[in-house]
Every structure is written in structure tokens, then in C-alpha cells.
Amino acid sequence: MAAVDKSQTARRASLPDGLRPGETRLRLQTIVRLRWLAVLGQSVTVIGAYWVIGIDLPIGWCLAVIALSAWTNVILRIRYPASQRLRSSYAFMMLGFDVLQLGALLYLTGGLENPFAFLLIAPVAVSASILRLRVTAALGLLVIVLATLLTTFHHPLPWFHHSNLLLPFPYVMGIWAALVSCILFIGFYSWRTAEEARRMAEALAAAEMVLAREQRLSALDGLAAAAAHGLGTPLATIAVVTKELMRDTKPNDPHYEDVVLLRTQAERCRDILAELAARGEQIDIIVSRLPVSHLIEEVVAPHRLVTVPIEVRTGPAAGVAPGSAAAIEPVTERNPGVLYGLGNLIENAVDFADAKVEVEARWSEDEVRIVIADDGSGFPPHVLEQLGEPFVTTRPAQSFRQEAPDEHIGMGLGFFIAKTLLERSGATLALANREPPEAGAVVSVMWPRSKFERAPDEIRPAPEPAAL
């Protein structure tokens, strides 16, 4: 239970302030607009049936019930701001009022024998798409109880010329069964669809945060070169001034040693800035372009310190003729998303491996493929098809106790983020288990070679700092 609580805490901590537990995405304005639409539809239907078609309705009572809903809307708009987000309990009361108001109209006009009885599904569908499951379940139960009462307790179904249309009770029970079935199916379907969208939105937000962090880390070298260029001019001014001071100061002057020290430190700053500028230029020209073998080595290097050895194999795919254009090693741009994604896959393989991890990179004329395999227990069959979805994990619950609440590990977000970032680079992922008698998991990452080998951006060498 502690593991579940920590995972829920981590998910809640990433939510905006307006969506804390107990609050919903449902705004008061949405309820008000839907209710105005219901008031308009009910008014047109009741007035049309009574004055146009000539059906004998209790028109006074019907208009009174509709007016109650309209006046409730007016009071809500005056009392509360339209952007007010409703707590779950308030949202339930709002939608419950709509259910009871519609139930009162149906009570006056034939109960479930009225063909408009299926509108009772609408509040449940709204709740399922926005509110939590327990709120939707409570609202659905209210609708089912109300529908059950309306099978027996209601005014006769209005008909022409002050006559009543009597429907057999088994037919009314069939309408009840159809209504309950629709509530259960549409309610669950709407809730499940909305829940998937909510989970995906939270996971994508986490992926964006990780990618932004990786991009900031990659930008540090460029910032260092920019700092070297920007500090060059004021440092040159300091050097000129100290040179003039040394010329005018005699060795026996008490300030002479201070001026010499200032000159020495200025020269030291010049050397540091020159080193930073050279490093920035080197990174811009060389490190921004990575052959596949260098890419693999950079991703694997942080994990070589663990006890599980990592075997790396690179080379052209089988069938590629040596010396051909397809045998030339592909070169790609440095991509923080690709580095993070492959690093996450290798980290997972190391965590689950028993004795070793194998990383193999092969390329052909049309494709670049990186395969990461371990010799652990493999992917559980019941989650293999779901891996890659947010909050789906194969880690044991104990891992939550070992991780900080704000970590993605153990929440099923790590693999989702890796998959998302790799797919943004044009890759596709395939998951499988080794063929028996071997055991272990295999993750294949494949790029079309044209997408993997992107033309480098225009490279501008970092300027040298101004001469001193």
C-alpha cells in the first residue's frame, strides 16, 4: 500500500493547482451551458407537443419544472464566476439535479413509456468523460434507481383527445433494461476513454520535462563558448589598463605588487576564455555529429560501472557488401532525446539482467537498427502488449520504497518517455522475449537510414576572445 500511495503522490504533485484531489476539470460554465441547452430542448418539445401536435400534457406543471432549471442557472451565473471549477461533490449535485429535474418531467409525461426517457443517459455520459469513477458510479446508480421508480410511479402517457396510450408492462421493463444497459456501457466507455486521455496528458507532460532537462544540459557547452566571447572585450580593457598602470608605477611603489597581480590574473582569465572558446568550437564541429559506434558508447559508458557487464557489437548488417556505400557507418546529429531514450532502455536492461546485457547496432542501405537484450526473466506476457503506455510497469512494488516520490522509476513513465522521445526522432520500437530455451527481453529500435542521417545544421565556429 505504501508503494501505491507514493505513486499517487507523485502523480498528484505534477497536477496544476486547479486539479488537486477533490477538484475536477468541470467548469461551472460547462454545466450552465449544457443546462440552457436542455431547457431550450425541453421547452420546444413540451410547447410543440401541446400546441402544435395537440397532445394533452399537464402543460403548467411541465413549464414550472423547466422554469426551475432555468432559474437555477440564473442564480448560479449571478452567484459564481463562470470559470469556477467544481469539486467532485458539487459536480455530483449539479448533475444529480439535472437527473431529478428530467425525472420530474418524465413523471408528469408517462415515465419510461416516454421516448425521451433515454435522455437520462446524458448526465452520466458527461460525468464519465470528466469526473472520477466513483462520482460517475454514484450518478449512474441514482439514474437507475430513478428509472426503476418511473416504471411504476408516473402519470399516464399523454395522448390525443384526452385519451391514454397503455403499453404492456413487459414492454416497459424492456425499456428499463435497455436504459440500464446503455448507462453501464456508455458510462464505462466514456470514462475509460477520458481516463486514457488524462493519463496520456500527464505522461506527455513528464516527457516534455525530461526532454527540456536534457536540452538544457546539452546547451551548457554552447553557453560556455558564448560566455567566453562576451567576456573577451571587457577583459581586454582590463588588460590594457593594467599595462598602462604598470608602466607608470615604479617597483618601489607600494601598489606595484597589486598591479602585477592584477595583470597576472587578467592573463589567466584570457587563457581560461581561450580554452572555453576552443572547447565550444570543438563540440560544435565534432561532438555534435556522432557515428553509431560513438553514440552507443556514450550511452553505455555510464552503466559500465555496475556489476552486470555490457557487450557492444557494431557493424554492417548481414548481406551488406564490404566497401559498399551501405557499409559506411551512419553518422547522426547529437539528439538529447535519443541519448536519453537509449540510455533508459539500457538502464532497464541492466536492472533486469542476470549475467549480461548485449547491445548490437547494425545498419544497411535503408535501415539503422539498435537491439538491446538482457538475460533476465523477460517481459511478463500480461503486460507485454501494454508496455509503452503511461503508468504501466514491470517493476515490483518494493521499488517505490527505494525511490524518491518525484522519480519516474517504478511508475511506468520511464519506458513511456523513452519510447516517446525515440519515436519523435523517427524511430520505431519492437518488444519481444527471447526464443526458448533462452530467457530475457529484447528491445529493437529501428530508424530509416534517411531519418537517422540528418544533414547537420549550419555550424558557426565560436569566435576567439579579443586579444589582450
Side-chain angles (χ1 to χ4, degrees):
M1 290 299 295
V4 176
D5 292 341
K6 285 193 174 184
S7 66
Q8 291 176 347
T9 301
R11 289 183 62 184
R12 291 169 181 172
S14 63
L15 295 177
D17 292 338
L19 298 181
R20 296 302 181 192
E23 297 185 2
T24 70
R25 296 179 299 164
L26 183 61
R27 294 186 302 170
L28 179 63
Q29 184 179 21
T30 303
I31 289 287
V32 169
R33 288 179 176 176
L34 291 175
R35 190 172 290 161
W36 280 125
L37 183 62
V39 167
L40 178 61
Q42 292 168 0
S43 301
V44 171
T45 302
V46 168
I47 293 174
Y50 186 78
W51 275 291
V52 178
I53 303 178
I55 295 179
D56 188 22
L57 295 172
I59 188 66
W61 283 107
C62 290
L63 293 179
V65 172
I66 296 173
L68 175 63
S69 183
W71 277 109
T72 302
N73 255 8
V74 172
I75 294 173
L76 290 175
R77 286 293 287 114
I78 294 174
R79 179 65 179 81
Y80 300 101
S83 60
Q84 176 77 36
R85 293 190 183 275
L86 302 176
R87 291 186 175 273
S88 297
S89 56
Y90 295 159
F92 173 77
M93 288 189 292
M94 294 286 186
L95 294 173
F97 172 82
D98 293 332
V99 169
L100 295 176
Q101 187 263 354
L102 181 58
L105 276 180
L106 293 175
Y107 171 79
L108 296 170
T109 56
L112 290 192
E113 300 175 12
N114 191 319
F116 290 98
F118 280 92
L119 288 175
L120 288 170
I121 300 173
V124 179
V126 173
S127 175
S129 62
I130 300 177
L131 304 180
R132 291 184 292 176
L133 180 60
R134 64 181 184 182
V135 177
T136 302
L139 193 66
L141 181 62
L142 174 63
V143 173
I144 292 175
V145 171
L146 183 63
T148 304
L149 294 175
L150 288 175
T151 58
T152 305
F153 304 100
H154 59 82
H155 285 261
L157 179 66
W159 204 241
F160 299 98
H161 309 299
H162 302 282
S163 61
N164 295 325
L165 178 63
L166 299 178
L167 297 177
F169 187 73
Y171 181 81
V172 176
M173 291 305 300
I175 296 177
W176 178 88
L179 180 62
V180 172
S181 300
C182 288
I183 290 172
L184 296 177
F185 175 78
I186 295 178
F188 180 77
Y189 179 82
S190 300
W191 173 81
R192 188 62 186 172
T193 303
E195 181 67 12
E196 291 291 337
R198 284 192 290 267
R199 288 159 60 97
M200 186 64 69
E202 293 176 15
L204 286 175
E208 293 291 347
M209 292 174 61
V210 171
L211 181 58
R213 177 179 177 274
E214 294 297 319
Q215 289 174 337
R216 286 197 300 270
L217 292 176
S218 298
L220 289 179
D221 294 307
L223 292 175
H229 173 67
L231 293 174
T233 300
L235 190 59
T237 303
I238 295 174
V240 172
V241 172
T242 55
K243 184 177 181 180
E244 294 296 331
L245 290 174
M246 288 185 63
R247 183 182 303 169
D248 297 337
T249 306
K250 303 301 180 181
N252 57 356
D253 192 296
H255 299 293
Y256 182 78
E257 293 183 359
D258 295 335
V259 175
V260 172
L261 178 61
L262 185 60
R263 172 69 178 179
T264 303
Q265 295 302 312
E267 291 179 351
R268 182 183 177 188
C269 290
R270 178 195 61 185
D271 296 338
I272 294 174
L273 292 181
E275 182 181 350
L276 288 176
R279 183 183 302 172
E281 180 179 356
Q282 181 183 16
I283 288 174
D284 284 342
I285 295 176
I286 299 176
V287 184
S288 62
R289 299 286 290 169
L290 292 174
V292 173
S293 57
H294 293 183
L295 172 67
I296 296 298
E297 187 59 35
E298 182 170 339
V299 172
V300 168
H303 306 285
R304 290 196 184 278
L305 301 178
V306 298
T307 56
V308 178
I310 303 177
E311 298 181 3
V312 178
R313 296 188 297 272
T314 61
V320 176
S324 63
I328 299 175
E329 184 174 0
V331 179
T332 185
E333 284 188 13
R334 175 181 294 274
N335 186 327
V338 172
L339 293 174
Y340 178 87
L342 292 176
N344 183 274
L345 297 180
I346 292 175
E347 180 183 0
N348 286 340
V350 170
D351 289 344
F352 288 98
D354 290 335
K356 68 176 180 178
V357 172
E358 299 176 355
V359 180
E360 184 177 28
R362 300 295 179 190
W363 57 84
S364 63
E365 182 179 1
D366 302 320
E367 183 183 72
V368 177
R369 179 187 296 263
I370 297 176
V371 179
I372 302 169
D374 63 69
D375 59 351
S377 58
F379 296 118
H382 66 281
V383 297
L384 181 58
E385 295 183 357
Q386 301 179 35
L387 279 176
E389 296 296 322
F391 308 108
V392 175
T393 179
T394 59
R395 294 183 183 273
Q398 291 88 327
S399 63
F400 286 106
R401 299 188 180 96
Q402 302 168 359
E403 301 295 340
D406 57 347
E407 292 288 339
H408 300 308
I409 296 177
M411 293 177 60
L413 282 180
F415 187 80
F416 168 79
I417 293 173
K419 179 174 180 289
T420 301
L421 297 180
L422 289 171
E423 288 178 345
R424 286 185 177 181
S425 70
T428 57
L429 275 70
L431 310 178
N433 289 322
R434 292 179 182 266
E435 294 292 335
E438 295 182 334
V442 180
V443 180
S444 300
V445 187
M446 299 151 285
W447 288 269
R449 184 158 180 162
S450 59
K451 290 187 177 181
F452 187 83
E453 291 185 315
R454 295 174 179 172
D457 296 334
E458 182 181 359
I459 300 175
R460 296 183 175 89
E464 295 286 347
L468 298 181

